[in-house]
Amino acid sequence: MTTLNETHDPALQSWVASANAPDTDFPIQNLPFGVFRRREAMDAFRIGVAIGDGVLDLAAATKTSTALAQAVAAALDDPAATTLNGLMGRGKSTWSALRLALSRALRNGSAEASALEACVVAQADVEMALPARIGDYTDFYASVYHATNIGKLFRPDAPLMPNYKWVPIGYHGRSSTIGVSGERFHRPVGQTLPPGATEPIFGPSERLDYEFEVGIFIGAGNDAPIPIAEAEDHVFGLCLLNDWSARDIQAWEYQPLGPFLAKNFASTISPWIVTTEALAPFRTSWQRPDSDPQPLPYLDAPSVWAEGAFDVQLEASLSTVKSLAAMKLTRTSFRHSYWTVGQMVAHHTVNGCRLMPGDLFGSGTASGPTSDEAGALIELVEGGKKPFTLSNGETRTFLEDGDTVVFKAWCEKAGARRIGFGECRGTVLPAR
Ligand code: MN
């Protein structure tokens, strides 16, 4: 079970003044990890921790005479590492010790403030890289609302497959085309079958969509199946993931082996990984209706029911060539997930499958129960039948060239400090 500690104290403030702004995503209670470099200096990428509008440079911090320097040296085999894989592989007690040292070093009144001030770089002056070398990427399908909405379009008579409520469904994706927020990618081309046609055509996708997912970074790996009660010890943290999807390519190719080129042309993640420890105040009970199949024993534990879900608010918006201001599309919460993160880990490894530090899971499109909580355009526009009207009067059925999709997420509740995920942004360029 998760426990709160001094790092979650909502009264904590930081000597980095911007971290004390009520609406910052990165107060001292968050402390997410990422990989950055100073844009002008073009120096090597290195590990940083977001604090307010700044980034604490951990490699620079190791060169100070502070308790934090010792904690970083103890947590990182290589302080100059260019990915988080090493830290991820060390496991939960190391992550927790480092978080505590960061919290103590960055809080108001810390004796280490003067030594560390020069280690904080403005986020405005940095570029972010993928936080980890992602060996394997698995995409789940954990929203029953999304699965039902999509299933209705493809199979109106039987939207949910008979296995859905028993098995956390997923497929092995590709990691090579995962990019970090800010990426611009070309509209994919491929084979599609026009309505009523008997032979496919080849050309740019005309039904390009986004999927709002939660990304799950694996920490320590495994040599044996991971019991459900230990599953979350193997999760380093969460980020936001856009699993861009070409619906017309998908419809033609997906049977019999599932998603392929409709998905692997681009996937975008937010650069900061919010640790599961930072999310502890925002855990909530997991719900499974009595009338539904109950989880098999290997997917069941008291902690799953008590606090298996993460109450993370998810908001999608769109800016276009005509409107650079972001226009809201939808809002929901990750707490509606039909399967928990721990169940995904336990299920993925139950057959002996190995997970490695830095592996990434997608939750699947995180749609909520109502139509305005849909995590993809295809649900909002009912498969293409009903265009969606944006706040500037433009309509969209699917994405157009020049469109930028922005995901944001945050957690808030009484008695806890609000924390956020930053953003996950990507732009569609014309087909090559
Ligand atoms: Mn997906």
Coordinates of all heavy atoms in Angstrom, one line a residue, residues 1 168 224-235 283 286 295-305 308 339-350:
M1 N 0.9 -1.2 0.0 CA 0.0 0.0 0.0 C 0.9 1.2 0.0 O 2.0 1.3 0.6 CB -0.9 0.0 1.2 CG -1.7 -1.2 1.4 SD -3.1 -1.4 0.3 CE -4.4 -0.6 1.1
P168 N -6.5 -8.3 -19.6 CA -6.1 -7.0 -20.1 C -5.5 -7.1 -21.5 O -4.4 -7.6 -21.7 CB -5.0 -6.6 -19.0 CG -5.3 -7.5 -17.9 CD -5.8 -8.8 -18.5
A224 N 11.0 -13.5 -13.3 CA 9.9 -14.4 -13.0 C 8.6 -13.6 -13.0 O 8.7 -12.4 -13.0 CB 10.2 -15.1 -11.7
P225 N 7.5 -14.3 -13.1 CA 6.2 -13.5 -13.1 C 6.2 -12.6 -11.9 O 6.6 -13.0 -10.8 CB 5.2 -14.6 -13.0 CG 5.8 -15.8 -13.7 CD 7.3 -15.7 -13.3
I226 N 5.7 -11.4 -12.1 CA 5.6 -10.4 -11.0 C 4.2 -10.6 -10.3 O 3.2 -10.4 -11.0 CB 5.7 -9.0 -11.5 CG1 7.1 -8.8 -12.2 CG2 5.6 -8.0 -10.4 CD1 7.3 -7.5 -12.9
P227 N 4.2 -11.0 -9.0 CA 2.9 -11.1 -8.3 C 2.1 -9.7 -8.3 O 2.8 -8.7 -8.2 CB 3.3 -11.5 -6.9 CG 4.7 -12.0 -7.0 CD 5.3 -11.2 -8.1
I228 N 0.8 -9.8 -8.4 CA 0.0 -8.6 -8.4 C 0.4 -7.6 -7.2 O 0.4 -6.4 -7.4 CB -1.5 -8.9 -8.5 CG1 -2.3 -7.6 -8.6 CG2 -1.9 -9.7 -7.3 CD1 -2.3 -6.9 -9.9
A229 N 0.6 -8.2 -6.0 CA 0.9 -7.4 -4.9 C 2.2 -6.6 -5.0 O 2.4 -5.7 -4.3 CB 0.8 -8.2 -3.6
E230 N 3.1 -7.1 -5.8 CA 4.4 -6.4 -6.0 C 4.5 -5.7 -7.3 O 5.5 -5.1 -7.6 CB 5.5 -7.5 -6.0 CG 5.7 -8.2 -4.7 CD 6.6 -9.4 -4.8 OE1 7.4 -9.5 -5.7 OE2 6.4 -10.3 -4.0
A231 N 3.4 -5.7 -8.1 CA 3.5 -5.2 -9.5 C 3.9 -3.7 -9.6 O 4.7 -3.4 -10.4 CB 2.1 -5.4 -10.2
E232 N 3.3 -2.9 -8.7 CA 3.6 -1.5 -8.8 C 5.1 -1.1 -8.3 O 5.5 -0.1 -8.7 CB 2.6 -0.7 -8.1 CG 1.4 -0.5 -8.9 CD 0.5 0.7 -8.5 OE1 1.1 1.5 -7.8 OE2 -0.6 0.7 -8.8
D233 N 5.7 -2.1 -7.6 CA 7.1 -1.8 -7.3 C 8.0 -1.7 -8.5 O 9.1 -1.3 -8.5 CB 7.7 -2.9 -6.4 CG 6.9 -3.0 -5.0 OD1 6.2 -2.0 -4.7 OD2 7.1 -3.9 -4.3
H234 N 7.5 -2.3 -9.6 CA 8.2 -2.3 -10.9 C 7.9 -1.1 -11.8 O 8.3 -1.1 -12.9 CB 8.0 -3.6 -11.6 CG 8.6 -4.8 -10.9 ND1 9.8 -5.4 -11.2 CD2 8.1 -5.5 -9.8 CE1 10.1 -6.4 -10.4 NE2 9.1 -6.5 -9.5
V235 N 7.0 -0.2 -11.3 CA 6.6 0.9 -12.1 C 7.3 2.2 -11.6 O 7.2 2.6 -10.5 CB 5.1 1.1 -12.0 CG1 4.7 2.4 -12.8 CG2 4.4 -0.1 -12.6
R283 N -4.2 8.4 -5.3 CA -4.7 7.0 -5.5 C -6.1 6.9 -5.1 O -6.6 7.6 -4.2 CB -3.9 6.0 -4.7 CG -2.4 6.1 -4.9 CD -2.0 6.0 -6.4 NE -2.4 4.7 -7.0 CZ -1.6 3.7 -7.2 NH1 -0.4 3.7 -6.8 NH2 -2.1 2.5 -7.7
W286 N -10.4 1.2 -7.0 CA -10.7 0.6 -8.3 C -12.1 0.0 -8.3 O -12.4 -0.7 -7.3 CB -9.6 -0.4 -8.7 CG -9.8 -1.1 -10.0 CD1 -9.7 -0.7 -11.2 CD2 -10.2 -2.5 -10.1 NE1 -9.9 -1.7 -12.1 CE2 -10.2 -2.8 -11.5 CE3 -10.4 -3.6 -9.2 CZ2 -10.5 -4.1 -12.0 CZ3 -10.7 -4.8 -9.7 CH2 -10.8 -5.1 -11.0
P295 N -11.8 -10.2 -11.2 CA -10.5 -10.5 -11.7 C -10.0 -11.9 -11.2 O -10.3 -12.3 -10.1 CB -9.6 -9.4 -11.1 CG -10.4 -8.8 -10.0 CD -11.9 -9.0 -10.4
L296 N -9.4 -12.7 -12.1 CA -8.8 -13.9 -11.6 C -7.8 -13.7 -10.5 O -7.2 -12.6 -10.4 CB -8.1 -14.6 -12.8 CG -9.1 -15.1 -13.9 CD1 -8.3 -15.8 -15.1 CD2 -10.1 -16.1 -13.4
P297 N -7.5 -14.7 -9.7 CA -6.6 -14.5 -8.6 C -5.3 -13.8 -8.9 O -4.8 -13.0 -8.1 CB -6.4 -15.9 -8.0 CG -7.6 -16.6 -8.4 CD -8.0 -16.1 -9.8
Y298 N -4.7 -14.1 -10.0 CA -3.4 -13.5 -10.3 C -3.5 -12.0 -10.6 O -2.5 -11.3 -10.7 CB -2.6 -14.2 -11.4 CG -3.1 -13.9 -12.8 CD1 -2.4 -13.0 -13.6 CD2 -4.2 -14.6 -13.4 CE1 -2.8 -12.7 -14.9 CE2 -4.6 -14.3 -14.7 CZ -3.9 -13.3 -15.4 OH -4.4 -13.1 -16.7
L299 N -4.7 -11.5 -10.8 CA -5.0 -10.1 -11.1 C -5.7 -9.4 -9.9 O -6.1 -8.3 -10.0 CB -5.8 -9.9 -12.3 CG -5.2 -10.4 -13.6 CD1 -6.2 -10.4 -14.8 CD2 -3.9 -9.6 -14.0
D300 N -5.7 -10.1 -8.8 CA -6.5 -9.6 -7.7 C -5.7 -9.5 -6.4 O -4.9 -10.4 -6.1 CB -7.7 -10.6 -7.4 CG -8.8 -9.9 -6.6 OD1 -8.7 -8.8 -6.2 OD2 -9.8 -10.6 -6.4
A301 N -5.9 -8.4 -5.7 CA -5.2 -8.2 -4.4 C -6.0 -7.1 -3.7 O -6.6 -6.3 -4.3 CB -3.8 -7.8 -4.6
P302 N -6.0 -7.1 -2.3 CA -6.7 -6.0 -1.6 C -6.3 -4.6 -2.1 O -7.1 -3.7 -2.2 CB -6.3 -6.3 -0.2 CG -6.0 -7.7 -0.1 CD -5.4 -8.0 -1.4
S303 N -5.0 -4.4 -2.4 CA -4.5 -3.1 -2.7 C -5.1 -2.7 -4.1 O -5.2 -1.5 -4.3 CB -3.0 -3.1 -2.8 OG -2.5 -4.0 -3.7
V304 N -5.4 -3.6 -4.9 CA -6.0 -3.3 -6.2 C -7.4 -2.5 -6.0 O -7.6 -1.5 -6.6 CB -6.3 -4.5 -7.1 CG1 -7.1 -4.2 -8.3 CG2 -4.9 -5.2 -7.5
W305 N -8.2 -3.1 -5.1 CA -9.5 -2.5 -4.8 C -9.4 -1.2 -4.0 O -10.1 -0.3 -4.3 CB -10.3 -3.5 -4.0 CG -10.6 -4.8 -4.8 CD1 -9.9 -5.9 -4.9 CD2 -11.7 -5.0 -5.7 NE1 -10.5 -6.8 -5.7 CE2 -11.6 -6.3 -6.3 CE3 -12.8 -4.2 -6.2 CZ2 -12.5 -6.8 -7.2 CZ3 -13.7 -4.7 -7.1 CH2 -13.5 -6.0 -7.6
G308 N -6.1 1.0 -6.4 CA -5.5 0.6 -7.6 C -5.5 1.6 -8.7 O -4.8 1.6 -9.7
W339 N -8.8 -1.7 -16.2 CA -7.7 -2.5 -15.6 C -6.7 -1.5 -15.0 O -6.5 -0.4 -15.5 CB -6.9 -3.3 -16.7 CG -7.8 -4.3 -17.3 CD1 -8.4 -4.2 -18.6 CD2 -8.3 -5.6 -16.8 NE1 -9.2 -5.3 -18.8 CE2 -9.1 -6.2 -17.8 CE3 -8.0 -6.2 -15.6 CZ2 -9.7 -7.4 -17.6 CZ3 -8.6 -7.5 -15.4 CH2 -9.4 -8.0 -16.4
T340 N -6.1 -1.9 -13.9 CA -5.1 -1.0 -13.2 C -3.7 -1.2 -13.8 O -3.5 -2.2 -14.5 CB -5.0 -1.3 -11.7 OG1 -4.4 -2.6 -11.5 CG2 -6.4 -1.3 -11.0
V341 N -2.9 -0.3 -13.5 CA -1.5 -0.3 -13.9 C -0.9 -1.6 -13.4 O -0.1 -2.4 -14.1 CB -0.7 0.9 -13.5 CG1 0.8 0.7 -13.6 CG2 -1.2 2.1 -14.2
G342 N -1.1 -1.9 -12.1 CA -0.6 -3.1 -11.5 C -1.1 -4.4 -12.2 O -0.3 -5.4 -12.4
Q343 N -2.3 -4.4 -12.6 CA -2.8 -5.6 -13.3 C -2.2 -5.7 -14.7 O -1.9 -6.9 -15.1 CB -4.4 -5.5 -13.5 CG -5.1 -5.7 -12.2 CD -6.6 -5.4 -12.3 OE1 -7.0 -4.4 -13.0 NE2 -7.4 -6.1 -11.5
M344 N -1.9 -4.6 -15.3 CA -1.2 -4.7 -16.6 C 0.2 -5.3 -16.4 O 0.6 -6.2 -17.2 CB -1.0 -3.3 -17.2 CG -2.3 -2.6 -17.6 SD -2.0 -1.0 -18.3 CE -3.5 -0.1 -17.8
V345 N 0.9 -4.9 -15.4 CA 2.3 -5.5 -15.1 C 2.2 -7.0 -14.8 O 2.9 -7.8 -15.3 CB 3.0 -4.7 -14.0 CG1 4.2 -5.4 -13.5 CG2 3.2 -3.3 -14.4
A346 N 1.3 -7.3 -13.9 CA 1.1 -8.7 -13.5 C 0.7 -9.6 -14.7 O 1.3 -10.7 -14.9 CB 0.1 -8.9 -12.4
H347 N -0.2 -9.1 -15.5 CA -0.7 -9.9 -16.6 C 0.5 -10.0 -17.6 O 0.7 -11.1 -18.2 CB -1.9 -9.2 -17.3 CG -2.4 -10.0 -18.4 ND1 -3.0 -11.2 -18.3 CD2 -2.4 -9.8 -19.8 CE1 -3.3 -11.7 -19.5 NE2 -3.0 -10.8 -20.4
H348 N 1.2 -9.0 -17.9 CA 2.2 -9.0 -18.9 C 3.3 -10.0 -18.6 O 4.0 -10.6 -19.5 CB 2.8 -7.6 -19.0 CG 3.4 -7.3 -20.4 ND1 4.3 -8.1 -21.0 CD2 3.3 -6.2 -21.2 CE1 4.7 -7.5 -22.2 NE2 4.1 -6.4 -22.3
T349 N 3.6 -10.2 -17.3 CA 4.7 -11.1 -16.9 C 4.2 -12.5 -16.5 O 5.1 -13.3 -16.2 CB 5.5 -10.5 -15.8 OG1 4.6 -10.3 -14.6 CG2 6.0 -9.1 -16.2
V350 N 2.9 -12.8 -16.4 CA 2.4 -14.0 -15.8 C 2.9 -15.2 -16.6 O 3.1 -16.3 -16.0 CB 0.9 -14.0 -15.7 CG1 0.2 -14.2 -17.0 CG2 0.4 -15.0 -14.7

